[in-house]
Amino acid sequence: RLSMSPSRFAPRQAPSKDAVRQLCQECFSSPPASLGPLAVRTCSSLAVSPAEAEQLVPALHSLTRHIVYRGLVRAEDILALFPETFHQNLKNLLTKIILENISAWKNEAQESQISLPRLVDMDWRVDIQTSSESISRMAVPTCLLQLKIQEDVALCGNSPVVSALTVELSKETLDTMLEGLGRIRDQLSAVANK
Amino acid sequence: MGLLNFTRDPVPEAVSGDMHNLNQLSAQQFSDLTEVLFRFLTEPKEVERFLAQLSDFATMNKISLGPLKNIVKSILLVPSGALKRNLSPEQVRADFIALGLSEEKASYFAEQWKVNSPTLTRLAVGQTLMINQLVDMEWKFGVTAGSSELEKVGSIFFQLKLVVKKGSQTENVYMELTLPQFYSFLHEMERVKTSLESFS
């Protein structure tokens, strides 16, 4: 869940839809270094104060990139990212605009080599659970794997967004995963030994 | 058996038999076993140590290790569920009693749960997040040709896509790992595999 305080999105007068559309596009495409100047330009087009623009632009940048990298495609999933107190009409408008742009932005991301989110930490533990597969319902060990993922440092500036993903792996899934990872290790060795 | 706090699913049949066997342990034996269990619960990655201590317990008390492991797995169902649901010591006690453990032993276990609660709560924080099923995994690795950061020239990176299922929805999660991270990840997953095998 991204932290977006509602006050960042409360322009004093309703911005034009085109201005919002343009802003979303620019926020997504802009590399972090250009967010500052973009914020300055935004003040006039959206009638927000410089302080508001300075918060709005990076937040919109993180939001649009998060949506693209997570592969969110449904309106419900995007709407769920906004805080409950968020301005309803603006939320709907932003969601609509984002949905219109998603596939174009995905292509843009792939072509421009924006980095993927990075793994920053991982942790695991063994969990004993009831297996729903066997009729007699046995207690079986599974693995709970927690991955901490950071949106590209370059994207987030001073406040990188780190999300935690907890995944449950059965022994079978783990075996399959290890088979795959082992093949990669073999491929890497082959490359290294050339 | 009434409604349990730690799970909504039916409990494995073996559990009541295992609780019955636990009731046969003396208070001292149960206390020793509980100590081993909580050492594991508070440091859950120390699987090898846990299994060694269980093995020692089995030897010292002349119990077969196989049946002991099954008993332990039955016991551990409760803390696993309790951590996910943030259960109180009272709820843990109630669940053990409902499963057939004697009141005395259930109270003792719940007391230890309370004592260890700060550590357990800290561990539980990570678990109250939604747990997803891993459905599929794809990867590729490549070499960065060059970027604004000089160190990245010619470095190998590893890109992973996990397809996870949250309830009925499927989500793709993308991430990048450096080569050392990839090897570390592989190493950890091999540790997990060994751990899961020793519990089976």
Side-chain angles (χ1 to χ4, degrees):
Chain A
R1 187 65 52 108
L2 301 180
S3 69
M4 296 194 321
S5 82
S7 63
R8 291 178 191 174
F9 287 84
R12 281 181 224 104
Q13 44 195 96
S16 81
K17 289 195 175 135
D18 283 337
V20 177
R21 190 167 282 124
Q22 171 119 3
L23 179 63
C24 287
Q25 175 63 49
E26 287 184 356
C27 283
F28 175 79
S29 301
S30 178
S34 310
L35 291 178
L38 176 58
V40 169
R41 291 200 301 281
T42 300
C43 292
S44 45
S45 60
L46 281 196
V48 294
S49 73
E52 283 169 333
E54 264 168 47
Q55 293 203 303
L56 168 61
V57 163
L60 203 43
H61 171 86
S62 294
L63 173 68
T64 51
R65 290 206 171 178
H66 174 89
I67 289 168
V68 170
Y69 290 135
R70 286 305 192 103
L72 302 181
V73 292
R74 305 183 328 156
E76 305 92 274
D77 295 331
I78 296 174
L79 288 166
L81 294 172
F82 294 85
E84 278 178 21
T85 48
F86 197 89
H87 190 279
Q88 184 72 12
N89 289 345
L90 188 53
K91 175 168 77 174
N92 291 337
L93 176 61
L94 283 170
T95 301
K96 179 167 176 294
I97 291 171
I98 289 170
L99 283 171
E100 284 166 359
N101 282 288
I102 281 181
S103 59
W105 285 346
K106 231 184 233 174
N107 290 336
E108 193 181 310
Q110 281 162 358
E111 283 159 21
S112 68
Q113 291 195 354
I114 295 173
S115 290
L116 289 184
R118 272 166 219 187
L119 180 70
V120 289
D121 202 6
M122 66 170 272
D123 201 6
W124 58 269
R125 69 178 185 88
V126 169
D127 199 39
I128 309 287
Q129 290 195 8
T130 317
S131 155
S132 46
E133 280 161 35
S134 63
I135 297 168
S136 65
R137 307 195 71 90
M138 293 165 42
V140 292
T142 62
C143 167
L144 285 185
L145 172 66
Q146 187 184 74
L147 301 169
K148 293 234 174 93
I149 300 163
Q150 184 185 69
E151 305 298 327
D152 188 5
V153 166
L155 302 187
C156 306
N158 293 329
S159 49
V161 175
V162 178
S163 56
L165 175 73
T166 304
V167 175
E168 183 184 288
L169 302 172
S170 67
K171 195 168 163 307
E172 293 69 36
T173 310
L174 178 67
D175 285 342
T176 308
M177 184 194 244
L178 276 172
E179 234 178 282
L181 292 176
R183 279 205 296 277
I184 299 169
R185 179 178 46 196
D186 295 341
Q187 286 177 312
L188 285 170
S189 302
V191 165
N193 291 334
K194 273 196 182 128
Chain B
M1 192 183 304
L3 275 179
L4 295 164
N5 297 306
F6 78 94
T7 183
R8 279 189 264 276
D9 296 327
V11 160
E13 292 160 12
V15 172
S16 43
D18 289 331
M19 292 296 141
H20 175 79
N21 288 336
L22 262 185
N23 284 335
Q24 310 311 310
L25 294 181
S26 71
Q28 182 61 51
Q29 286 173 322
F30 186 73
S31 159
D32 292 344
L33 181 60
T34 304
E35 196 183 318
V36 170
L37 287 171
F38 274 95
R39 220 171 280 150
F40 172 62
L41 285 171
T42 51
E43 289 175 294
K45 285 173 79 170
E46 297 297 327
V47 178
E48 295 90 359
R49 184 187 72 186
F50 174 55
L51 292 163
Q53 289 177 343
L54 273 185
S55 181
D56 289 344
F57 179 87
T59 310
M60 282 202 318
N61 293 284
K62 302 196 186 3
I63 302 172
S64 305
L65 186 55
L68 178 64
K69 274 196 200 172
N70 286 332
I71 291 173
V72 163
K73 282 198 295 194
S74 289
I75 300 175
L76 286 176
L77 283 172
V78 178
S80 284
L83 279 173
K84 287 187 192 119
R85 292 171 170 78
N86 251 313
L87 297 185
S88 66
E90 291 70 35
Q91 288 172 308
V92 169
R93 176 179 176 275
D95 278 354
F96 271 117
I97 291 175
L99 291 176
L101 194 61
S102 73
E103 273 192 38
E104 195 193 319
K105 291 188 163 80
S107 299
Y108 182 79
F109 193 94
E111 189 53 43
Q112 299 312 305
W113 183 265
K114 194 166 171 187
V115 162
N116 284 288
S117 161
T119 311
L120 293 172
T121 311
R122 193 170 36 82
L123 290 169
V125 167
Q127 310 310 327
T128 49
L129 296 172
M130 258 192 78
I131 294 176
N132 311 280
Q133 299 294 323
L134 181 66
V135 171
D136 199 7
M137 183 176 95
E138 287 173 27
W139 65 82
K140 62 180 180 192
F141 59 94
V143 183
T144 57
S147 68
S148 53
E149 300 155 56
L150 289 174
E151 322 93 71
K152 278 171 85 177
V153 170
S155 66
I156 298 178
F157 60 89
F158 177 72
Q159 286 179 355
L160 189 58
K161 169 181 156 189
L162 299 177
V163 182
V164 295
K165 211 164 173 207
K166 293 184 195 192
S168 54
Q169 290 176 305
T170 303
E171 192 183 312
N172 298 330
V173 181
Y174 296 89
M175 69 191 86
E176 197 171 283
L177 280 69
T178 63
L179 199 55
Q181 279 179 318
F182 165 75
Y183 282 115
S184 185
F185 183 72
L186 175 54
H187 176 71
E188 286 302 298
M189 290 297 101
E190 281 171 342
R191 271 185 78 192
V192 175
K193 178 177 161 122
T194 310
S195 302
L196 292 189
E197 277 168 357
S198 24
F199 269 100
S200 301

